[in-house]
Amino acid sequence: MARMILKWLLSAAALLGVAYIYGGVSVSSFSTALLAALVIGLLNMLVRPVLVLLTIPITLLTLGLFLFVINALMFWAASGLVGGFNVSGFWAALLGSLIYSALGLVIDALLERA
């Protein structure tokens, strides 16, 4: 349980990092980042598998690159659901989700070592 809370806190910090690194994403406060990280996690857990399943043909046709579009849509959807978390458009969502995913990989690697 403590590991899950730590990952949530680090994911919120990563979201603040995305907003700091890239101007197309803005987060108003750490509490907003906590809520946005939770919403992104829930969307990725509940909605993303359905979208991946429904888009298997286009994903295969694009050799898996369409999964980046799905990640961007989850990131963008979270910005629509959480006040104070803003993404300026699809391309901002794509780049923001790539940065957030890269930071998430670093977080996962660090948590595995601990």
Side-chain angles (χ1 to χ4, degrees), residues 49-87:
V50 174
L51 287 178
V52 169
L53 188 64
L54 291 174
T55 60
I56 285 175
I58 195 166
T59 302
L60 291 174
L61 190 65
T62 61
L63 303 175
L65 292 176
F66 193 73
L67 293 174
F68 290 120
V69 172
I70 293 173
N71 286 343
L73 291 174
M74 296 299 98
F75 197 76
W76 201 11
S79 76
L81 295 172
V82 177
F85 172 47
N86 298 311
V87 178

Side-chain angles (χ1 to χ4, degrees), residues 14-49:
L15 199 54
L16 287 173
V18 170
Y20 180 76
I21 293 168
Y22 180 57
V25 176
S26 65
V27 180
S28 62
S29 66
F30 187 70
S31 60
T32 300
L34 282 171
L35 182 59
L38 179 67
V39 170
I40 290 169
L42 288 172
L43 286 171
N44 283 335
M45 186 175 68
L46 301 173
V47 178
R48 186 176 188 274

